[in-house]
Structures are given as structure tokens and as C-alpha cells.
Amino acid sequence: MLEVQNQAEGKTAMSVQFDFDFAPGLPAPASKWNGFPKYNFIGGHNDAEHVPVEALIAAATSVLRREGSSLATYGLNSGPLGYRPLREFLVRKLKAHAGIVCQADEILITSGSLQGLDLVNSLLLSPGDTVLVERDCYSGSLSRLSRRGVKAIGIELDSGGLRPDLVANTLADLKGRGIRPKYLYTIPTVQNPTGTIMSEERRAELLQLTRAYGVPIFEDECYSDLIWDGQRPPALYALGGGAGVIHIGSFSKSISPALRVGYIVANWDVLSRILALKTDAGSGALEQMVLAEYCTAHFSEHVHNLNRGLRGKLDALIAALAEQFGTAAEFEDPKGGIFLWLKLPDGVDTQKLAQAALAEGLAINPGPEWSTDKDHARARLRLCFANPGKETIRQGVAALAQICHREFGVPTRIANITPG
Ligand SMILES: Cc1ncc(COP(=O)(O)O)c(C=O)c1O
């Protein structure tokens, strides 16, 4: 029951009561936002110092002066796929970075790659379907699958990313049971949360395998611009010549997540079906115009500087963990990205740790939300190091060590001191 009061000058002028008859099957209500915690190691926020504010202002000014009147039309005279100069920039960037050869009309601009995930899922999935995913996987992808009533089978990764030998076993096993997965979802280039990059050999093996079983690949390259040494194998989409692979990407991690600009790359026979599902009359035009203008001139240089800054923050995080947790925190040095995926001793329950930490203004992502295997991920957690400054990282890790010691008795020594 909701009571609405219309107050004017401190007096209640009207009071109405009514019930909304909500549709069945809605997700749990969202909670109200109360600001960011002091030590914020969650989400995929970016480094505030590396938002190119002045250059974005210049790009906005010049593109609006030149083409601002095209805001009068839906789709900016570029049609429903999105602002053409942005798609043309992507054609060049995807070829140079990921080896993808495609046309501007094989790219659909979306409202973040989250809309890409939703559109591809709407295209391919029905309740009761099965898909293959990496065992440790982006929680936004896992939650989307479970909301659709889709079974996600998680396949182990190692330091080289998803293991094709285990994919082969799983595909054979499923085939024996008459099940054909609707897709294999992978984040091959700077995986979330593990930060691994899949080798070209593995990519080729995966393509061969999935083709043999008639399973398409859904490739998510959200973080592929953030690689410390800039070295990466061609995208699965490139190696597959565009057949049987749908590729999504984003400007969230390279420029800004708040802009909400992502994209889907697919052959027109697939993209035309996806486009028919995108019923929002186009994603925000101003963001697309500014990005096209900015990226055409500055993308490579910007990403190079951003990566240097992110690597510096990762070094600060690794040093703080070594000092505060010693050998109690195990992790591999990620090849890029904004996350560190780490393991604490087995007795630690990171969901409980996350709750205790949040009560003290420190946010972490507990492992079980980032994995199909809750037991395997119980003592694991994900830390985003992109947004906090280095000093905040140091203080946050010290605070986390104190909380973890109080709740679970580990680390036994903090900064080389045995806590009393
Ligand atoms: C793997 C992966 N895919 C997609 C997204 C969605 O990003 P966006 O909608 O901001 O492009 C994220 C965000 O963190 C992600 O980690």
C-alpha cells in the first residue's frame, strides 16, 4: 500500500492510497544509493584522473558546431545502427587491434555492452536452455542467465584462460545427453575477473571445437584495450572470419563507463535480427558524436597513458597486499584490466567478509558472485583498483586486513606484526 501526500507550505493538501499490481517474476527491488563507500574496490569504475575532460570538451564543441543540427533526427542521419563516424572509427580500430575485418554496417552501437548482452541473449536464449561460460565469470552475465532460466555450465580457466580440453569434454558429455548449448560465452582478452588472455592456439582450438558441435561463440571484449604490453591475439571473431561468432565491446573501460556506449559486431544476417530487437530508437546521440570526434584523434595515445596509470595502481595494490596479507593472499599478476582476483586461506568466507567490510565503509566483490562454482570461489574475491588513488588503495588494504583478521584470524601477521 502506497500513501502519496501532496504537501504545500507544510500542510497536507491531498492524501491518496493505491496499489500497483506488479507483473509476476520481477527481480527484487533495487536499493537506494547512499553514495560510494570510502574504500571502493567494487564495480568497473575507471580512473578519474584519466578521463580526458578538456579533450572531450573540445570534441563536443567541434562536433556540435559542425553537425549539431542533425540532432533534429532520430539516428543523426546515420540510420538505426548508430552514428556512422563512430562505426567507421570502430572498423579501423577493430582491424588494427583485434584483426577484425568488418564493414560499418556490421556494427550496432548499443547503450553499453550490457545492452549488447541483453540483445544477444534475447536473440538466442529461451528458459531451460544451456550455455557454456568460464567458471569464474562476470557476475552481470551470470545473473542475466539465471534471470532467464538458462543453465550456465562453468568451465575452468588456468593462467592461459579457458581450457579447451575441458570444453571438449563438456561438449561431448552434453551431446551424449542430447543437449546442444546455445552458445559458449567467453571473455578471452583480459578476462573478468581473472585478467587472463587466451592464446591464439587456444582460440583456434575453441573455434574448431565449437564448430564441430554447432555451438556459436559469444565473445565479450570489454577490457581488451587495457593490456599492459599492448600485445594480444586476434579476436575469435577475426579468426572465425565472422562466422558463428558474435562480438561485443565497449568504451566503458577505455574512456568512461558513464557514457554508456558499447557495440555489437556480427554478420548482417545475425545483426539484422538483433537490430529488430533494439526498440529504443537508438542509443544516446551526443555520446556517440563526442566519442567519434575524440577517439578518431586521440584514442591510441589516451589508452597508452591510461594503461600506464592503471599498471601503477595495480603495483600499489600488489605491494599493499604483500605488506598487509603476506602469503595469505594468492593471486596471479593480471595481463591488463582493472581487477585483481585473489584467493585468501580456505577458512575465509568472502561473502561474510564483504558484509563486515561494508559496515566499515569498504566494498569488495565476494568471489561466489563471480563464479558458477560457489565453493571454489568461497575464499576468493575481486578487487577493482582503477578508481581509488594509490594512498586510498594502501589504506583500504590495511583496513581489509584488520577486518579479515578480526573475522577469520587471517592474515595471522599484518604488516609483519602479530595483532594482539
Ligand atoms: C565482461 C563484461 N562485459 C560487459 C560489461 C558491461 O559494461 P558496459 O555496459 O559498461 O559496457 C562489463 C562491465 O563491467 C563486463 O565486465
Side-chain angles (χ1 to χ4, degrees), residues 240-258:
V245 184
I246 299 175
H247 177 100
I248 64 171
S250 179
F251 288 93
S252 287
K253 314 301 167 174
S254 53
I255 310 284
S256 150

Side-chain angles (χ1 to χ4, degrees), residues 22-23 40 48 64 85 97 99 103 106 125 127 141 202 208 291 308 321 350 370 382 384 392 395 405 412:
F22 292 132
N40 189 15
L64 278 175
H97 289 212
Q103 310 294 318
E106 291 168 319
L125 301 181
S141 300
R202 280 196 184 184
Q208 224 179 12
L291 274 177
R308 261 217 321 249
L321 285 165
T350 53
W370 258 260
R382 194 191 74 161
C384 176
T392 308
Q395 289 175 14
H405 177 81
T412 45

Side-chain angles (χ1 to χ4, degrees), residues 196-394:
T196 53
I197 297 180
M198 193 193 295
S199 68
E200 184 166 348
E201 295 70 40
R202 280 196 184 184
R203 290 171 194 238
E205 222 179 307
L206 264 191
L207 276 165
Q208 224 179 12
L209 259 173
T210 48
R211 281 189 176 162
Y213 284 89
V215 176
I217 291 181
F218 182 7
E219 174 175 51
D220 184 345
E221 284 224 335
C222 201
Y223 301 91
S224 61
D225 296 306
L226 309 182
I227 300 177
W228 313 139
D229 66 3
Q231 299 299 310
R232 56 153 300 169
L236 284 153
Y237 190 91
L239 293 172
V245 184
I246 299 175
H247 177 100
I248 64 171
S250 179
F251 288 93
S252 287
K253 314 301 167 174
S254 53
I255 310 284
S256 150
L259 290 178
R260 310 307 305 131
V261 181
Y263 51 90
I264 303 177
V265 187
N267 280 338
W268 178 245
D269 54 347
V270 174
L271 200 65
S272 59
R273 306 304 299 259
I274 295 176
L275 182 57
L277 291 166
K278 190 175 186 297
T279 54
D280 60 2
S283 296
L286 206 48
E287 296 85 332
Q288 297 182 54
M289 294 167 88
V290 174
L291 274 177
E293 196 79 3
Y294 172 78
C295 291
T296 301
H298 304 295
F299 188 81
S300 298
E301 187 196 348
H302 164 73
V303 162
H304 177 76
N305 292 335
L306 173 62
N307 279 324
R308 261 217 321 249
L310 290 174
R311 179 70 231 193
K313 287 189 172 189
L314 173 60
D315 288 340
L317 176 61
I318 289 176
L321 285 165
E323 184 186 334
Q324 301 294 328
F325 281 84
T327 54
E330 294 170 41
F331 51 84
E332 288 193 28
D333 195 343
K335 299 213 159 64
I338 55 176
F339 304 119
L340 190 67
W341 177 238
L342 61 105
K343 173 159 184 326
L344 295 176
D346 284 335
V348 178
D349 177 337
T350 53
Q351 277 173 313
K352 289 196 180 138
L353 177 63
Q355 275 171 15
L358 196 56
E360 296 182 30
L362 193 158
I364 58 168
N365 287 126
E369 291 172 14
W370 258 260
S371 185
T372 57
D373 182 341
K374 309 300 175 204
D375 286 339
H376 151 83
R378 191 170 176 273
R380 289 179 158 81
L381 67 145
R382 194 191 74 161
L383 298 176
C384 176
F385 53 81
N387 195 246
K390 286 182 188 168
E391 186 49 34
T392 308
I393 289 175
R394 277 190 278 274

